[in-house]
Amino acid sequence: MKARVFSGVQPSGNLHIGNYLGALKSWVKIQYDYESIFCIVDLHAVTMYQEPQTLRAKIEEIAGLFLAAGIDPKHCAIMVQSSVPAHAELAWMLTCVTPVGWLERMTQYKAKTESQQAVGDGLLQYPVLMAADILLYQAAIVPVGEDQAQHLELTRDVAQRFNSLYGETFVVPATHLPLVGARVMGLDDPEKKMSKSATAAGHAVALLDPPGQARKKIMRATTDSQPAVDFETAGAGVRNLLGIFQAFSEWTDDRMKAHFTGMRYGEMKKQVAEMMISHLEPFQKRYREIVGEPGYVSGVLREGAERVSPIANATVDLVKRRMGLYALS
Ligand code: ATP
Ligand code: MG
């Protein structure tokens, strides 16, 4: 039996090149080596207010983007978190074994609550729900961007704590980070990671941005006061742009250095934009074909939920038995 992979994306905005290079691209690469489950985590998205109609539309858009990226629905399950109630059920059981101090330490919790006056409890509980998503399927590997490494660490802690309290129950999952593109930074501010929920216009290139707009965002990206590329002294903005080029092109470090050293920033940005667009254009064409087929995406999501539900329900059943909870049967 193949080991299982689980990963997800929140339908909380427009998917960007960071989500693609950090997550989707690895999923496509490893999908046939594992039994793969890719999830649209809508229960996570509502930890911040989402306009209901927009959220509903985003769910199918993101499923379309998974398919356009090359996820094969014949081999992998593509599903929506809220269509499998066991995610929320297991999250409660895990909440009860998670010390609140572990959650208060999470960097994302601190960052996302900084600007808010009233903080929803969901934001604090988010990593427990994420642990439930992963442990529910006894996933061995979780391919994510670097920003999720801390939540994965917590998932392992929760699994180990549960296993030591109630006996071996969960597979303790490993984090899988891409070698390049694990942390794409904001184009407007290379000190902050590129995020769907950031609102500044020049912050991110969305996967569905028209090529002209995508090019403009790269050309306007923040760099530094040097005129040309120097790999030793380049600032965060330049390193980010070169990282985007390398992640799309899959060039080696040596080839990157030989090609870009001494290149003026204007020319370098042009080449980064063209490399990115050469991947985005065929991707967008596939996306339009996929969503143009009536009922196709919703069928994939229904089938995905049907395929994973027995696995999820078996885990909840096992957890109930371990904890002494009541199950009719
Ligand atoms: P939000 O701002 O709503 O949290 P997000 O851009 O962080 O959106 P998520 O849905 O939280 O996106 O994450 C989906 C996947 O994309 C995760 O595996 C995450 O690690 C990865 N990811 C997110 N941002 C980046 C980034 N800037 N670089 C690389 N990977 C990323
Ligand atoms: Mg995020």
Side-chain angles (χ1 to χ4, degrees), residues 10 108 112 126 147-148 193:
Q10 299 184 67
Q108 180 178 288
K112 288 201 174 182
Y126 176 111
D147 62 301
Q148 291 300 330
K193 89 159 188 80

mmCIF file of all heavy atoms in Angstrom, residues 10 108 112 126 147-148 193, ligand 2:
data_model
loop_
_atom_site.group_PDB
_atom_site.id
_atom_site.type_symbol
_atom_site.label_atom_id
_atom_site.label_comp_id
_atom_site.label_asym_id
_atom_site.label_seq_id
_atom_site.Cartn_x
_atom_site.Cartn_y
_atom_site.Cartn_z
ATOM 1 N N GLN A 10 -6.691 27.256 1.395
ATOM 2 C CA GLN A 10 -7.908 27.948 1.818
ATOM 3 C C GLN A 10 -8.525 28.717 0.650
ATOM 4 O O GLN A 10 -7.807 29.419 -0.046
ATOM 5 C CB GLN A 10 -7.565 29.007 2.855
ATOM 6 C CG GLN A 10 -6.935 28.515 4.107
ATOM 7 C CD GLN A 10 -6.764 29.685 5.060
ATOM 8 O OE1 GLN A 10 -7.724 30.256 5.547
ATOM 9 N NE2 GLN A 10 -5.528 30.049 5.308
ATOM 10 N N GLN A 108 1.560 32.498 12.950
ATOM 11 C CA GLN A 108 0.447 32.966 12.109
ATOM 12 C C GLN A 108 -0.668 33.546 12.968
ATOM 13 O O GLN A 108 -1.290 34.544 12.598
ATOM 14 C CB GLN A 108 -0.106 31.827 11.251
ATOM 15 C CG GLN A 108 -1.257 32.291 10.373
ATOM 16 C CD GLN A 108 -1.815 31.209 9.477
ATOM 17 O OE1 GLN A 108 -1.194 30.798 8.508
ATOM 18 N NE2 GLN A 108 -2.999 30.731 9.810
ATOM 19 N N LYS A 112 -1.898 37.247 12.326
ATOM 20 C CA LYS A 112 -3.254 37.504 11.844
ATOM 21 C C LYS A 112 -4.122 38.228 12.871
ATOM 22 O O LYS A 112 -5.162 38.775 12.523
ATOM 23 C CB LYS A 112 -3.927 36.200 11.374
ATOM 24 C CG LYS A 112 -3.343 35.686 10.057
ATOM 25 C CD LYS A 112 -4.281 34.743 9.310
ATOM 26 C CE LYS A 112 -3.684 34.399 7.943
ATOM 27 N NZ LYS A 112 -4.516 33.530 7.124
ATOM 28 N N TYR A 126 -7.346 27.262 14.703
ATOM 29 C CA TYR A 126 -6.965 26.885 13.337
ATOM 30 C C TYR A 126 -5.970 25.717 13.266
ATOM 31 O O TYR A 126 -6.206 24.736 12.555
ATOM 32 C CB TYR A 126 -6.421 28.154 12.659
ATOM 33 C CG TYR A 126 -5.863 28.037 11.274
ATOM 34 C CD1 TYR A 126 -6.523 28.618 10.197
ATOM 35 C CD2 TYR A 126 -4.654 27.387 11.020
ATOM 36 C CE1 TYR A 126 -6.009 28.540 8.924
ATOM 37 C CE2 TYR A 126 -4.142 27.289 9.750
ATOM 38 C CZ TYR A 126 -4.816 27.868 8.704
ATOM 39 O OH TYR A 126 -4.301 27.778 7.441
ATOM 40 N N ASP A 147 5.776 28.506 5.442
ATOM 41 C CA ASP A 147 4.970 29.177 6.478
ATOM 42 C C ASP A 147 4.139 28.183 7.292
ATOM 43 O O ASP A 147 3.701 28.503 8.387
ATOM 44 C CB ASP A 147 4.039 30.219 5.840
ATOM 45 C CG ASP A 147 3.039 29.598 4.881
ATOM 46 O OD1 ASP A 147 3.473 28.950 3.906
ATOM 47 O OD2 ASP A 147 1.826 29.727 5.117
ATOM 48 N N GLN A 148 3.892 26.994 6.736
ATOM 49 C CA GLN A 148 3.071 26.013 7.457
ATOM 50 C C GLN A 148 3.913 25.030 8.273
ATOM 51 O O GLN A 148 3.361 24.147 8.940
ATOM 52 C CB GLN A 148 2.169 25.243 6.484
ATOM 53 C CG GLN A 148 1.060 26.107 5.875
ATOM 54 C CD GLN A 148 0.137 26.693 6.929
ATOM 55 O OE1 GLN A 148 -0.076 26.104 7.991
ATOM 56 N NE2 GLN A 148 -0.427 27.864 6.657
ATOM 57 N N LYS A 193 5.737 37.407 3.658
ATOM 58 C CA LYS A 193 5.451 36.352 2.684
ATOM 59 C C LYS A 193 4.263 36.756 1.816
ATOM 60 O O LYS A 193 3.372 37.469 2.272
ATOM 61 C CB LYS A 193 5.189 35.015 3.383
ATOM 62 C CG LYS A 193 3.756 34.767 3.777
ATOM 63 C CD LYS A 193 3.482 33.291 3.974
ATOM 64 C CE LYS A 193 1.986 33.047 4.171
ATOM 65 N NZ LYS A 193 1.214 33.026 2.926
HETATM 66 MG MG MG B 2 -1.932 31.065 4.875
#
